[in-house]
Coordinates of all heavy atoms in Angstrom, one line a residue:
S379 N -9.6 -6.6 1.2 CA -8.4 -6.5 0.3 C -7.2 -5.9 1.0 O -7.2 -5.3 2.1 CB -8.8 -5.6 -0.9 OG -9.0 -4.3 -0.4
V380 N -6.0 -6.1 0.4 CA -4.8 -5.6 0.9 C -4.9 -4.1 0.9 O -4.5 -3.4 1.9 CB -3.6 -6.0 0.0 CG1 -2.3 -5.3 0.4 CG2 -3.4 -7.5 0.0
A381 N -5.5 -3.5 -0.1 CA -5.6 -2.0 -0.1 C -6.4 -1.5 1.0 O -6.1 -0.5 1.7 CB -6.2 -1.6 -1.5
N382 N -7.5 -2.1 1.3 CA -8.4 -1.7 2.4 C -7.7 -1.8 3.7 O -7.9 -1.0 4.6 CB -9.7 -2.5 2.4 CG -10.6 -2.1 1.3 OD1 -10.5 -1.0 0.7 ND2 -11.6 -2.9 1.0
N383 N -6.9 -2.9 3.9 CA -6.2 -3.0 5.2 C -5.2 -1.9 5.4 O -4.9 -1.5 6.5 CB -5.5 -4.4 5.2 CG -6.4 -5.5 5.8 OD1 -6.5 -5.6 7.0 ND2 -7.0 -6.3 4.9
L384 N -4.6 -1.5 4.3 CA -3.6 -0.4 4.4 C -4.3 1.0 4.6 O -3.8 1.8 5.4 CB -2.7 -0.3 3.1 CG -1.8 -1.5 2.9 CD1 -1.2 -1.5 1.5 CD2 -0.8 -1.6 3.9
L385 N -5.4 1.2 3.9 CA -6.1 2.5 4.0 C -6.7 2.7 5.4 O -7.2 3.8 5.7 CB -7.2 2.6 2.9 CG -6.6 2.7 1.5 CD1 -7.8 2.6 0.5 CD2 -5.9 4.0 1.3
L386 N -6.8 1.6 6.2 CA -7.3 1.7 7.5 C -6.5 2.8 8.3 O -7.0 3.5 9.1 CB -7.2 0.4 8.2 CG -7.8 0.3 9.6 CD1 -9.3 0.5 9.6 CD2 -7.4 -1.0 10.3
A387 N -5.2 2.9 8.0 CA -4.3 3.8 8.7 C -4.5 5.3 8.1 O -4.2 6.2 8.9 CB -2.8 3.4 8.5
N388 N -4.9 5.4 6.9 CA -5.0 6.7 6.3 C -6.0 6.6 5.1 O -5.6 6.3 4.0 CB -3.6 7.2 5.8 CG -3.7 8.6 5.3 OD1 -4.8 9.3 5.2 ND2 -2.6 9.2 4.8
E389 N -7.2 6.9 5.4 CA -8.3 6.8 4.4 C -8.1 7.7 3.1 O -8.5 7.4 2.1 CB -9.7 7.1 5.0 CG -10.1 6.1 6.0 CD -11.4 6.4 6.6 OE1 -12.0 7.4 6.2 OE2 -11.9 5.6 7.4
S390 N -7.4 8.8 3.3 CA -7.2 9.7 2.2 C -5.9 9.5 1.4 O -5.6 10.2 0.5 CB -7.1 11.2 2.8 OG -6.1 11.3 3.7
A391 N -5.2 8.4 1.7 CA -4.0 8.1 1.0 C -4.3 7.8 -0.4 O -5.2 7.1 -0.8 CB -3.2 6.9 1.7
S392 N -3.4 8.2 -1.3 CA -3.5 8.0 -2.7 C -3.0 6.6 -3.1 O -2.3 5.9 -2.3 CB -2.8 9.0 -3.5 OG -1.4 9.0 -3.3
E393 N -3.3 6.1 -4.3 CA -2.8 4.9 -4.8 C -1.2 4.9 -4.8 O -0.6 3.9 -4.5 CB -3.3 4.5 -6.1 CG -2.9 3.2 -6.7 CD -3.5 2.9 -8.1 OE1 -4.4 3.7 -8.5 OE2 -3.1 1.9 -8.7
A394 N -0.7 6.0 -5.2 CA 0.8 6.1 -5.3 C 1.4 6.0 -3.9 O 2.4 5.4 -3.7 CB 1.1 7.5 -5.9
Q395 N 0.8 6.6 -2.9 CA 1.3 6.5 -1.5 C 1.2 5.1 -1.0 O 2.1 4.6 -0.3 CB 0.5 7.4 -0.6 CG 0.7 8.9 -0.8 CD -0.2 9.8 0.1 OE1 -1.4 9.6 0.0 NE2 0.4 10.7 0.8
V396 N 0.1 4.4 -1.3 CA 0.0 3.0 -0.9 C 1.1 2.1 -1.5 O 1.8 1.3 -0.8 CB -1.4 2.4 -1.3 CG1 -1.4 0.9 -1.1 CG2 -2.5 3.1 -0.5
K397 N 1.3 2.3 -2.8 CA 2.4 1.5 -3.5 C 3.8 1.9 -2.9 O 4.7 1.0 -2.8 CB 2.3 1.8 -5.0 CG 1.1 1.1 -5.6 CD 1.0 1.4 -7.1 CE -0.2 0.7 -7.7 NZ -0.3 0.9 -9.2
A398 N 4.0 3.2 -2.6 CA 5.3 3.6 -2.1 C 5.6 2.9 -0.8 O 6.8 2.5 -0.6 CB 5.3 5.1 -1.9
V399 N 4.7 2.9 0.1 CA 5.0 2.2 1.4 C 5.2 0.7 1.3 O 6.0 0.1 2.0 CB 3.9 2.5 2.5 CG1 3.9 4.0 2.8 CG2 2.5 2.0 2.1
M400 N 4.5 0.1 0.3 CA 4.6 -1.3 0.1 C 6.0 -1.6 -0.6 O 6.6 -2.7 -0.3 CB 3.5 -1.8 -0.8 CG 2.2 -1.9 -0.1 SD 2.1 -3.2 1.2 CE 1.8 -4.6 0.3
K401 N 6.5 -0.7 -1.3 CA 7.9 -0.8 -1.9 C 8.9 -0.7 -0.8 O 9.9 -1.4 -0.8 CB 8.1 0.2 -2.9 CG 7.4 0.0 -4.3 CD 7.6 1.1 -5.3 CE 6.8 0.9 -6.6 NZ 7.0 2.0 -7.5
Q402 N 8.6 0.2 0.2 CA 9.5 0.3 1.4 C 9.6 -1.0 2.2 O 10.7 -1.3 2.6 CB 9.0 1.4 2.3 CG 9.4 2.8 1.8 CD 9.0 3.9 2.8 OE1 7.9 4.4 2.8 NE2 9.9 4.2 3.7
V403 N 8.5 -1.7 2.3 CA 8.6 -2.9 3.1 C 8.8 -4.1 2.2 O 8.7 -5.3 2.6 CB 7.3 -3.1 3.9 CG1 7.0 -2.0 4.8 CG2 6.0 -3.3 2.9
K404 N 9.1 -3.9 0.9 CA 9.5 -4.9 -0.1 C 8.4 -6.0 -0.3 O 8.7 -7.2 -0.4 CB 10.8 -5.6 0.4 CG 11.9 -4.7 0.6 CD 13.1 -5.4 1.2 CE 14.3 -4.4 1.5 NZ 15.5 -5.1 2.1
L405 N 7.2 -5.5 -0.5 CA 6.1 -6.4 -0.8 C 5.3 -5.9 -2.0 O 4.4 -6.6 -2.4 CB 5.1 -6.4 0.4 CG 5.4 -7.4 1.5 CD1 4.2 -7.4 2.6 CD2 5.6 -8.8 1.0
H406 N 5.7 -4.8 -2.6 CA 4.9 -4.4 -3.8 C 4.9 -5.4 -4.9 O 3.9 -5.7 -5.5 CB 5.5 -3.0 -4.3 CG 4.9 -2.6 -5.6 ND1 3.6 -2.1 -5.7 CD2 5.5 -2.6 -6.9 CE1 3.4 -1.8 -7.0 NE2 4.5 -2.1 -7.7
D407 N 6.1 -5.9 -5.2 CA 6.2 -6.9 -6.4 C 5.3 -8.1 -6.1 O 4.6 -8.6 -7.0 CB 7.6 -7.3 -6.6 CG 8.5 -6.1 -7.1 OD1 7.9 -5.1 -7.6 OD2 9.7 -6.2 -7.0
L408 N 5.3 -8.6 -4.9 CA 4.5 -9.8 -4.5 C 3.0 -9.5 -4.7 O 2.3 -10.3 -5.3 CB 4.8 -10.2 -3.1 CG 3.9 -11.3 -2.5 CD1 4.2 -12.6 -3.3 CD2 4.2 -11.5 -1.0
V409 N 2.6 -8.4 -4.2 CA 1.1 -8.1 -4.3 C 0.7 -7.7 -5.7 O -0.3 -8.2 -6.2 CB 0.8 -6.9 -3.3 CG1 -0.7 -6.5 -3.5 CG2 1.0 -7.3 -1.9
A410 N 1.6 -7.0 -6.4 CA 1.3 -6.6 -7.8 C 1.2 -7.8 -8.7 O 0.5 -7.8 -9.7 CB 2.3 -5.6 -8.3

């Protein structure tokens, strides 16, 4: 999944942190 690919960099990251970085790279709306 997209989430698992992101959590590879930081397993302890929260859902909010994952969504925050995806908003920074302008992909949150597409994935959501």
Side-chain angles (χ1 to χ4, degrees):
S379 66
V380 175
N382 286 342
N383 271 281
L384 294 172
L385 292 173
L386 184 68
N388 183 0
E389 294 181 355
S390 61
S392 64
E393 182 180 350
Q395 288 175 306
V396 170
K397 291 181 178 179
V399 296
M400 289 293 278
K401 288 178 181 178
Q402 282 184 268
V403 301
K404 302 175 183 178
L405 276 184
H406 171 71
D407 292 340
L408 172 65
V409 175

